[in-house]
Amino acid sequence: MTYKFRPPFSSPSQPQHHHQNQLSPGTRNHFRALVLVAATFILTHISDRILSVSFPSYWCSFHAQQRSSDGVVSFSPDHSISWPVRGYGSHLDLKIYVYDDDDEIDGLKDLMYGRDGKISPDLCIKGQWGTQVKIHKMFLKSRFRTKRKEVADLFFVPAYVKCVRMMGGLNDKEIDKTYVKVLSQMPYFRLSGGRNHIFVFPSGAGAHLFKSWATYLNRSIFLTPEGDRTDKRDTSAFNTWKDIIIPGNVDDGMTNGVPFVRTLPLSRRKYLANYLGRAQGKVGRLQLIELAKKYPERLESPVLKFSGPDKLRRKEYFEHLRNAKFCLAPRGESSWTLRFYESYFVECVPVILSDQVELPFQDVIDYTQMSIKWPSTRIGPQLLDYLESIPG
Protein backbone atom coordinates (compact mmCIF):
# COMPACT_ATOMS: atom_id res chain seq x y z
CA MET A 1 0.00 0.00 0.00
CA THR A 2 1.44 3.32 -1.02
CA TYR A 3 0.10 6.81 -0.43
CA LYS A 4 1.85 9.67 -2.11
CA PHE A 5 0.64 13.06 -1.12
CA ARG A 6 1.63 16.21 0.67
CA PRO A 7 -0.13 17.58 3.70
CA PRO A 8 -2.62 20.42 3.13
CA PHE A 9 -0.71 22.55 5.61
CA SER A 10 3.01 23.02 5.35
CA SER A 11 3.20 24.24 8.91
CA PRO A 12 0.99 24.40 12.01
CA SER A 13 -1.51 27.22 12.41
CA GLN A 14 0.97 28.88 14.73
CA PRO A 15 4.41 29.55 13.23
CA GLN A 16 7.18 27.31 14.45
CA HIS A 17 10.07 29.30 15.83
CA HIS A 18 13.54 27.86 16.06
CA HIS A 19 15.03 29.34 19.17
CA GLN A 20 18.54 30.65 18.75
CA ASN A 21 20.35 30.44 22.03
CA GLN A 22 23.67 32.09 22.61
CA LEU A 23 26.39 29.61 21.69
CA SER A 24 28.54 28.24 24.48
CA PRO A 25 32.31 27.91 23.95
CA GLY A 26 31.82 24.16 23.41
CA THR A 27 29.14 24.73 20.80
CA ARG A 28 31.28 27.33 19.05
CA ASN A 29 34.11 24.79 18.87
CA HIS A 30 31.71 22.24 17.38
CA PHE A 31 30.62 24.84 14.84
CA ARG A 32 34.21 25.69 13.91
CA ALA A 33 34.99 22.01 13.48
CA LEU A 34 31.99 21.56 11.19
CA VAL A 35 33.05 24.57 9.12
CA LEU A 36 36.57 23.14 8.83
CA VAL A 37 35.27 19.74 7.75
CA ALA A 38 32.93 21.32 5.20
CA ALA A 39 35.68 23.54 3.82
CA THR A 40 38.06 20.60 3.54
CA PHE A 41 35.42 18.53 1.76
CA ILE A 42 34.64 21.30 -0.74
CA LEU A 43 38.29 22.10 -1.44
CA THR A 44 39.10 18.42 -1.85
CA HIS A 45 36.39 17.91 -4.44
CA ILE A 46 37.26 21.12 -6.28
CA SER A 47 40.87 19.95 -6.45
CA ASP A 48 39.76 16.56 -7.76
CA ARG A 49 37.71 18.25 -10.49
CA ILE A 50 40.58 20.58 -11.45
CA LEU A 51 43.09 17.75 -11.57
CA SER A 52 40.79 15.53 -13.63
CA VAL A 53 40.26 18.30 -16.18
CA SER A 54 43.82 19.64 -16.29
CA PHE A 55 45.71 16.36 -16.65
CA PRO A 56 45.52 13.37 -19.00
CA SER A 57 43.30 10.47 -18.05
CA TYR A 58 46.26 8.12 -17.53
CA TRP A 59 47.69 10.57 -14.94
CA CYS A 60 44.34 10.87 -13.23
CA SER A 61 44.12 7.09 -13.01
CA PHE A 62 47.54 7.04 -11.41
CA HIS A 63 46.63 9.97 -9.20
CA ALA A 64 43.51 8.20 -7.95
CA GLN A 65 45.71 5.45 -6.56
CA GLN A 66 47.92 7.83 -4.64
CA ARG A 67 46.65 7.70 -1.10
CA SER A 68 48.72 8.80 1.83
CA SER A 69 49.04 6.14 4.51
CA ASP A 70 49.86 8.55 7.33
CA GLY A 71 46.48 10.32 7.36
CA VAL A 72 47.61 13.66 5.92
CA VAL A 73 47.73 15.30 2.48
CA SER A 74 51.25 14.88 1.05
CA PHE A 75 53.08 16.28 -1.98
CA SER A 76 55.69 14.35 -3.95
CA PRO A 77 58.72 15.94 -5.70
CA ASP A 78 56.92 15.69 -9.05
CA HIS A 79 54.11 17.87 -7.60
CA SER A 80 51.54 15.06 -7.44
CA ILE A 81 49.21 14.96 -4.45
CA SER A 82 48.41 12.02 -2.17
CA TRP A 83 45.10 12.25 -0.33
CA PRO A 84 44.70 10.61 3.08
CA VAL A 85 42.92 7.28 3.02
CA ARG A 86 41.57 7.64 6.53
CA GLY A 87 38.31 9.57 6.62
CA TYR A 88 38.18 10.12 2.85
CA GLY A 89 34.99 9.03 1.11
CA SER A 90 34.60 5.25 0.91
CA HIS A 91 37.86 4.87 2.81
CA LEU A 92 36.24 5.96 6.08
CA ASP A 93 38.12 4.43 8.99
CA LEU A 94 36.32 5.60 12.10
CA LYS A 95 37.42 4.08 15.39
CA ILE A 96 34.98 3.80 18.30
CA TYR A 97 35.90 2.59 21.78
CA VAL A 98 33.12 0.94 23.81
CA TYR A 99 33.52 1.03 27.58
CA ASP A 100 33.25 -2.45 29.09
CA ASP A 101 30.75 -3.46 31.75
CA ASP A 102 33.49 -5.22 33.72
CA ASP A 103 35.52 -3.47 36.41
CA GLU A 104 37.06 -0.95 34.01
CA ILE A 105 34.82 1.84 35.33
CA ASP A 106 33.46 1.59 38.87
CA GLY A 107 29.73 2.29 38.81
CA LEU A 108 29.09 1.57 35.13
CA LYS A 109 27.48 -1.77 36.00
CA ASP A 110 25.03 0.06 38.26
CA LEU A 111 23.88 2.23 35.32
CA MET A 112 23.33 -0.94 33.29
CA TYR A 113 22.01 -3.52 35.77
CA GLY A 114 20.97 -1.57 38.87
CA ARG A 115 22.52 -1.34 42.33
CA ASP A 116 21.99 -5.08 42.93
CA GLY A 117 22.95 -6.17 39.42
CA LYS A 118 19.65 -8.00 38.94
CA ILE A 119 18.25 -6.14 35.92
CA SER A 120 19.09 -8.04 32.72
CA PRO A 121 19.65 -6.62 29.23
CA ASP A 122 17.02 -9.08 27.95
CA LEU A 123 14.48 -7.26 30.07
CA CYS A 124 15.68 -3.79 29.06
CA ILE A 125 15.70 -4.58 25.35
CA LYS A 126 11.91 -4.76 25.37
CA GLY A 127 9.58 -1.79 25.07
CA GLN A 128 10.07 1.63 23.56
CA TRP A 129 13.38 2.23 25.38
CA GLY A 130 15.11 -0.86 24.01
CA THR A 131 17.38 1.23 21.79
CA GLN A 132 19.70 1.78 24.77
CA VAL A 133 20.52 -1.95 24.66
CA LYS A 134 20.35 -2.46 20.89
CA ILE A 135 22.72 0.39 20.05
CA HIS A 136 25.18 -0.90 22.64
CA LYS A 137 25.10 -4.35 21.03
CA MET A 138 25.49 -2.79 17.60
CA PHE A 139 28.66 -0.96 18.62
CA LEU A 140 30.09 -4.12 20.22
CA LYS A 141 29.83 -5.88 16.83
CA SER A 142 30.73 -2.87 14.68
CA ARG A 143 33.67 -3.07 12.31
CA PHE A 144 34.58 0.40 13.55
CA ARG A 145 35.10 -0.77 17.11
CA THR A 146 38.56 -0.54 18.59
CA LYS A 147 39.80 -1.83 21.93
CA ARG A 148 42.55 0.79 22.13
CA LYS A 149 41.50 4.06 23.71
CA GLU A 150 44.55 5.91 22.43
CA VAL A 151 43.50 5.52 18.75
CA ALA A 152 39.75 6.03 19.22
CA ASP A 153 37.93 8.88 17.49
CA LEU A 154 34.77 8.38 19.56
CA PHE A 155 33.86 6.69 22.84
CA PHE A 156 30.52 4.97 23.55
CA VAL A 157 29.26 4.91 27.15
CA PRO A 158 26.68 2.12 27.64
CA ALA A 159 23.93 2.76 30.18
CA TYR A 160 20.39 1.44 30.53
CA VAL A 161 19.27 4.08 33.02
CA LYS A 162 15.72 4.49 31.71
CA CYS A 163 15.05 0.78 32.16
CA VAL A 164 16.98 0.62 35.44
CA ARG A 165 14.97 3.52 36.82
CA MET A 166 11.65 2.04 35.67
CA MET A 167 12.52 -1.29 37.31
CA GLY A 168 13.54 0.32 40.60
CA GLY A 169 17.22 -0.48 40.16
CA LEU A 170 18.28 3.12 40.87
CA ASN A 171 16.43 6.24 41.95
CA ASP A 172 17.04 9.71 40.52
CA LYS A 173 19.55 10.68 43.20
CA GLU A 174 21.51 7.46 42.73
CA ILE A 175 21.56 7.89 38.93
CA ASP A 176 22.96 11.39 39.29
CA LYS A 177 25.61 10.37 41.80
CA THR A 178 26.63 7.29 39.81
CA TYR A 179 27.01 9.18 36.53
CA VAL A 180 29.29 11.72 38.22
CA LYS A 181 31.41 8.90 39.68
CA VAL A 182 31.62 7.11 36.32
CA LEU A 183 32.65 10.22 34.39
CA SER A 184 35.36 11.07 36.93
CA GLN A 185 37.14 7.83 35.99
CA MET A 186 37.35 8.58 32.27
CA PRO A 187 40.55 10.46 31.40
CA TYR A 188 39.64 10.69 27.72
CA PHE A 189 36.34 12.26 28.67
CA ARG A 190 38.17 14.93 30.67
CA LEU A 191 40.72 15.41 27.89
CA SER A 192 38.06 16.34 25.32
CA GLY A 193 35.56 17.88 27.70
CA GLY A 194 33.24 15.02 26.69
CA ARG A 195 33.01 16.12 23.04
CA ASN A 196 33.92 12.69 21.66
CA HIS A 197 31.72 10.64 24.02
CA ILE A 198 28.36 9.21 22.93
CA PHE A 199 25.37 8.62 25.22
CA VAL A 200 21.96 7.08 24.43
CA PHE A 201 18.90 8.60 26.10
CA PRO A 202 15.96 6.67 24.61
CA SER A 203 12.93 8.36 26.16
CA GLY A 204 11.15 11.69 26.00
CA ALA A 205 13.00 12.76 29.15
CA GLY A 206 16.23 12.68 27.15
CA ALA A 207 19.39 13.53 29.07
CA HIS A 208 17.29 14.88 31.93
CA LEU A 209 17.40 11.35 33.37
CA PHE A 210 20.83 12.50 34.56
CA LYS A 211 19.92 15.59 36.58
CA SER A 212 23.38 17.13 36.28
CA TRP A 213 23.73 16.56 32.54
CA ALA A 214 24.03 20.30 31.82
CA THR A 215 27.14 20.46 33.98
CA TYR A 216 28.87 17.31 32.80
CA LEU A 217 27.48 16.33 29.37
CA ASN A 218 26.71 19.65 27.70
CA ARG A 219 29.37 18.99 25.03
CA SER A 220 28.78 15.26 24.56
CA ILE A 221 26.89 13.57 21.73
CA PHE A 222 23.36 12.37 22.48
CA LEU A 223 21.42 9.74 20.54
CA THR A 224 17.76 10.29 21.35
CA PRO A 225 14.31 10.05 19.73
CA GLU A 226 13.45 13.40 21.30
CA GLY A 227 14.41 16.45 19.25
CA ASP A 228 11.83 18.80 20.76
CA ARG A 229 13.54 22.03 21.83
CA THR A 230 10.36 23.44 23.32
CA ASP A 231 10.11 21.04 26.25
CA LYS A 232 8.82 22.18 29.62
CA ARG A 233 12.25 22.37 31.23
CA ASP A 234 14.44 25.42 31.64
CA THR A 235 17.10 23.98 29.32
CA SER A 236 16.52 21.67 26.38
CA ALA A 237 18.91 18.73 26.29
CA PHE A 238 18.87 18.51 22.49
CA ASN A 239 21.41 20.43 20.40
CA THR A 240 21.18 20.25 16.61
CA TRP A 241 24.92 20.94 16.24
CA LYS A 242 26.00 17.69 17.91
CA ASP A 243 23.08 15.39 18.73
CA ILE A 244 21.32 12.81 16.55
CA ILE A 245 17.63 11.90 16.49
CA ILE A 246 17.08 8.14 16.33
CA PRO A 247 13.89 6.11 15.76
CA GLY A 248 12.04 4.67 18.72
CA ASN A 249 12.27 0.96 19.42
CA VAL A 250 9.51 -1.12 17.81
CA ASP A 251 8.67 -4.53 19.29
CA ASP A 252 10.99 -7.27 18.00
CA GLY A 253 7.95 -9.39 17.18
CA MET A 254 7.20 -6.97 14.33
CA THR A 255 10.74 -6.30 13.10
CA ASN A 256 12.56 -9.66 13.28
CA GLY A 257 11.70 -12.36 10.76
CA VAL A 258 8.00 -13.10 10.27
CA PRO A 259 5.90 -10.50 12.18
CA PHE A 260 3.41 -11.84 14.70
CA VAL A 261 0.74 -9.61 13.13
CA ARG A 262 0.36 -9.41 9.36
CA THR A 263 -1.02 -6.44 7.46
CA LEU A 264 -4.55 -6.32 6.12
CA PRO A 265 -5.65 -5.29 2.60
CA LEU A 266 -7.27 -1.85 2.53
CA SER A 267 -10.61 -3.40 1.64
CA ARG A 268 -10.64 -5.37 4.90
CA ARG A 269 -9.79 -2.47 7.21
CA LYS A 270 -12.76 -1.48 9.32
CA TYR A 271 -11.81 2.09 10.20
CA LEU A 272 -10.64 5.18 8.38
CA ALA A 273 -8.31 6.07 11.27
CA ASN A 274 -7.44 5.05 14.80
CA TYR A 275 -5.84 6.44 17.93
CA LEU A 276 -4.45 3.84 20.32
CA GLY A 277 -3.24 5.50 23.46
CA ARG A 278 -4.13 6.98 26.82
CA ALA A 279 -5.39 10.51 27.38
CA GLN A 280 -2.74 11.45 29.97
CA GLY A 281 -4.53 14.78 30.36
CA LYS A 282 -3.14 16.01 27.03
CA VAL A 283 -5.41 18.28 24.98
CA GLY A 284 -4.77 16.64 21.61
CA ARG A 285 -5.33 13.14 22.96
CA LEU A 286 -8.51 14.16 24.76
CA GLN A 287 -9.83 15.72 21.54
CA LEU A 288 -9.20 12.50 19.61
CA ILE A 289 -10.99 10.39 22.20
CA GLU A 290 -14.00 12.72 22.05
CA LEU A 291 -13.88 12.72 18.25
CA ALA A 292 -13.99 8.90 18.26
CA LYS A 293 -17.14 9.01 20.42
CA LYS A 294 -18.86 11.25 17.86
CA TYR A 295 -17.69 9.31 14.79
CA PRO A 296 -17.19 5.72 16.00
CA GLU A 297 -17.64 4.30 12.50
CA ARG A 298 -14.71 6.36 11.18
CA LEU A 299 -12.31 6.67 14.11
CA GLU A 300 -11.41 3.91 16.58
CA SER A 301 -10.08 4.87 20.01
CA PRO A 302 -10.67 2.00 22.45
CA VAL A 303 -10.07 2.24 26.19
CA LEU A 304 -6.69 0.63 26.73
CA LYS A 305 -5.88 -1.33 29.88
CA PHE A 306 -2.23 -1.94 30.69
CA SER A 307 -2.75 -4.02 33.83
CA GLY A 308 -5.15 -6.60 35.21
CA PRO A 309 -6.88 -9.51 33.45
CA ASP A 310 -7.94 -7.33 30.51
CA LYS A 311 -4.44 -6.00 29.89
CA LEU A 312 -3.82 -5.23 26.22
CA ARG A 313 -1.12 -7.52 24.84
CA ARG A 314 1.37 -6.41 22.20
CA LYS A 315 -0.14 -8.71 19.58
CA GLU A 316 -3.62 -7.31 20.25
CA TYR A 317 -2.26 -3.78 20.07
CA PHE A 318 -0.91 -4.31 16.57
CA GLU A 319 -4.12 -6.07 15.52
CA HIS A 320 -5.98 -2.89 16.41
CA LEU A 321 -3.36 -0.73 14.70
CA ARG A 322 -3.59 -2.60 11.38
CA ASN A 323 -7.36 -2.22 11.19
CA ALA A 324 -7.26 1.40 9.93
CA LYS A 325 -5.84 3.21 6.92
CA PHE A 326 -4.43 6.08 8.97
CA CYS A 327 -2.82 5.93 12.41
CA LEU A 328 -3.04 9.16 14.41
CA ALA A 329 0.06 10.09 16.39
CA PRO A 330 -0.45 13.03 18.80
CA ARG A 331 2.24 14.21 21.18
CA GLY A 332 2.37 12.86 24.73
CA GLU A 333 4.58 14.03 27.56
CA SER A 334 6.93 15.24 24.85
CA SER A 335 6.72 15.79 21.11
CA TRP A 336 7.71 12.36 19.85
CA THR A 337 5.56 9.23 19.89
CA LEU A 338 6.43 5.60 19.22
CA ARG A 339 3.12 5.15 17.39
CA PHE A 340 4.60 7.00 14.41
CA TYR A 341 7.17 4.23 13.90
CA GLU A 342 4.86 1.33 14.77
CA SER A 343 2.33 2.31 12.13
CA TYR A 344 4.76 1.60 9.28
CA PHE A 345 5.00 -2.07 10.26
CA VAL A 346 1.28 -2.59 9.63
CA GLU A 347 1.28 -0.35 6.51
CA CYS A 348 -0.85 2.28 8.20
CA VAL A 349 -0.12 5.87 7.15
CA PRO A 350 0.96 7.86 10.23
CA VAL A 351 -0.70 11.22 10.81
CA ILE A 352 1.54 13.45 12.93
CA LEU A 353 -0.38 15.68 15.34
CA SER A 354 2.68 17.13 17.06
CA ASP A 355 3.77 20.55 15.83
CA GLN A 356 7.33 20.59 17.17
CA VAL A 357 8.30 17.01 16.43
CA GLU A 358 11.64 16.43 14.69
CA LEU A 359 12.08 13.13 12.88
CA PRO A 360 15.24 11.05 12.39
CA PHE A 361 17.30 11.74 9.28
CA GLN A 362 14.69 14.17 7.96
CA ASP A 363 17.38 15.93 5.93
CA VAL A 364 17.60 12.87 3.66
CA ILE A 365 14.15 11.24 4.10
CA ASP A 366 11.16 13.00 2.57
CA TYR A 367 8.51 12.17 5.15
CA THR A 368 5.83 14.04 3.19
CA GLN A 369 5.81 11.09 0.79
CA MET A 370 4.84 8.59 3.48
CA SER A 371 3.14 10.50 6.29
CA ILE A 372 0.84 13.44 6.97
CA LYS A 373 1.49 16.29 9.35
CA TRP A 374 -1.68 18.03 10.55
CA PRO A 375 -1.83 21.06 12.91
CA SER A 376 -2.62 19.97 16.45
CA THR A 377 -4.84 23.04 16.81
CA ARG A 378 -7.20 21.74 14.10
CA ILE A 379 -8.11 18.33 15.47
CA GLY A 380 -11.77 17.81 14.59
CA PRO A 381 -14.15 16.56 11.88
CA GLN A 382 -12.14 18.41 9.20
CA LEU A 383 -9.22 16.06 9.88
CA LEU A 384 -11.39 13.01 9.19
CA ASP A 385 -12.89 14.67 6.12
CA TYR A 386 -9.44 15.30 4.69
CA LEU A 387 -8.27 11.74 5.33
CA GLU A 388 -11.42 10.40 3.70
CA SER A 389 -10.78 12.51 0.59
CA ILE A 390 -7.43 10.81 -0.06
CA PRO A 391 -7.75 8.05 -2.69
CA GLY A 392 -6.53 4.65 -1.54
Side-chain angles (χ1 to χ4, degrees):
M1 178 184 67
T2 303
Y3 282 91
K4 290 189 177 181
F5 44 75
R6 293 186 177 272
F9 303 96
S10 59
S11 62
S13 58
Q14 295 297 325
Q16 296 185 35
H17 300 285
H18 295 274
H19 302 288
Q20 295 182 343
N21 299 323
Q22 186 175 2
L23 297 179
S24 65
T27 304
R28 285 197 296 269
N29 287 335
H30 276 289
F31 179 72
R32 291 167 184 156
L34 288 170
V35 171
L36 179 59
V37 170
T40 303
F41 177 83
I42 293 170
L43 289 173
T44 297
H45 283 263
I46 289 175
S47 298
D48 278 346
R49 290 293 299 276
I50 293 173
L51 289 169
S52 64
V53 172
S54 304
F55 295 91
S57 58
Y58 68 83
W59 191 95
C60 293
S61 175
F62 172 78
H63 158 76
Q65 299 174 11
Q66 302 305 300
R67 301 292 181 188
S68 173
S69 61
D70 58 1
V72 298
V73 176
S74 61
F75 301 88
S76 66
D78 64 352
H79 305 295
S80 62
I81 305 173
S82 295
W83 298 106
V85 170
R86 192 163 183 259
Y88 181 84
S90 61
H91 299 280
L92 180 66
D93 186 23
L94 191 67
K95 290 181 171 59
I96 303 173
Y97 180 84
V98 181
Y99 286 98
D100 289 328
D101 59 355
D102 53 17
D103 296 327
E104 177 187 12
I105 303 292
D106 183 28
L108 192 57
K109 279 186 177 180
D110 295 346
L111 294 178
M112 299 175 70
Y113 314 121
R115 70 178 77 83
D116 300 323
K118 296 181 179 180
I119 299 175
S120 72
D122 291 338
L123 182 63
C124 291
I125 204 170
K126 299 177 182 179
Q128 63 177 302
W129 306 299
T131 46
Q132 56 194 345
V133 180
K134 290 181 177 179
I135 291 177
H136 179 206
K137 289 186 175 183
M138 179 189 71
F139 278 127
L140 288 175
K141 297 178 181 179
S142 173
R143 68 184 179 91
F144 297 111
R145 184 188 178 192
T146 179
K147 294 187 178 181
R148 296 172 54 201
K149 293 190 184 83
E150 65 273 15
V151 301
D153 301 298
L154 297 168
F155 296 77
F156 180 76
V157 183
Y160 310 153
V161 287
K162 179 61 180 181
C163 175
V164 167
R165 181 178 180 271
M166 294 289 290
M167 298 297 170
L170 290 175
N171 59 39
D172 289 346
K173 187 175 181 179
E174 289 173 321
I175 290 174
D176 197 73
K177 183 178 179 181
T178 306
Y179 258 120
V180 173
K181 180 172 72 171
V182 165
L183 296 174
S184 69
Q185 301 170 66
M186 297 178 171
Y188 285 89
F189 180 89
R190 296 195 300 273
L191 185 65
S192 69
R195 291 181 181 88
N196 54 4
H197 279 57
I198 304 170
F199 298 81
V200 178
F201 293 106
S203 73
H208 292 282
L209 285 169
F210 173 26
K211 301 297 183 183
S212 301
W213 75 266
T215 301
Y216 295 93
L217 303 184
N218 60 81
R219 299 173 181 176
S220 299
I221 301 167
F222 299 157
L223 307 184
T224 175
E226 181 57 88
D228 185 6
R229 291 163 294 178
T230 60
D231 48 29
K232 295 179 290 186
R233 305 174 190 273
D234 294 335
T235 306
S236 175
F238 186 79
N239 186 325
T240 53
W241 287 109
K242 62 182 182 63
D243 302 329
I244 299 173
I245 301 175
I246 58 174
N249 179 54
V250 177
D251 194 291
D252 286 348
M254 292 298 294
T255 60
N256 292 342
V258 179
F260 55 55
V261 171
R262 295 185 178 275
T263 60
L264 289 176
L266 288 179
S267 59
R268 290 181 55 194
R269 302 193 185 196
K270 183 177 180 180
Y271 299 99
L272 171 68
N274 61 32
Y275 166 60
L276 301 179
R278 294 169 292 179
Q280 296 182 305
K282 305 302 176 185
V283 175
R285 295 183 171 212
L286 290 169
Q287 289 175 327
L288 289 176
I289 292 172
E290 289 302 312
L291 194 63
K293 292 177 181 178
K294 293 180 180 179
Y295 303 94
E297 73 287 350
R298 302 166 76 190
L299 174 61
E300 180 194 25
S301 183
V303 177
L304 304 183
K305 296 182 179 180
F306 296 93
S307 61
D310 297 327
K311 177 182 178 180
L312 185 71
R313 306 296 176 183
R314 295 304 294 168
K315 186 174 184 291
E316 296 171 320
Y317 171 84
F318 281 101
E319 286 174 346
H320 275 285
L321 204 65
R322 70 175 180 173
N323 208 20
K325 299 175 182 178
F326 300 94
C327 292
L328 308 185
R331 67 171 290 139
E333 291 295 333
S334 56
S335 69
W336 86 286
T337 170
L338 186 63
R339 201 166 295 101
F340 172 82
Y341 305 102
E342 292 172 331
S343 64
Y344 286 116
F345 289 89
V346 291
E347 297 184 11
C348 180
V349 179
V351 180
I352 304 168
L353 302 170
S354 179
D355 299 338
Q356 270 74 42
V357 69
E358 295 185 43
L359 303 173
F361 321 121
Q362 60 187 14
D363 55 334
V364 293
I365 298 175
D366 184 2
Y367 284 99
T368 66
Q369 297 298 311
M370 53 185 180
S371 65
I372 299 172
K373 188 174 184 182
W374 184 274
S376 62
T377 55
R378 300 192 60 180
I379 294 175
Q382 65 269 40
L383 168 60
L384 300 181
D385 292 342
Y386 173 71
L387 297 180
E388 210 158 37
S389 70
I390 299 173

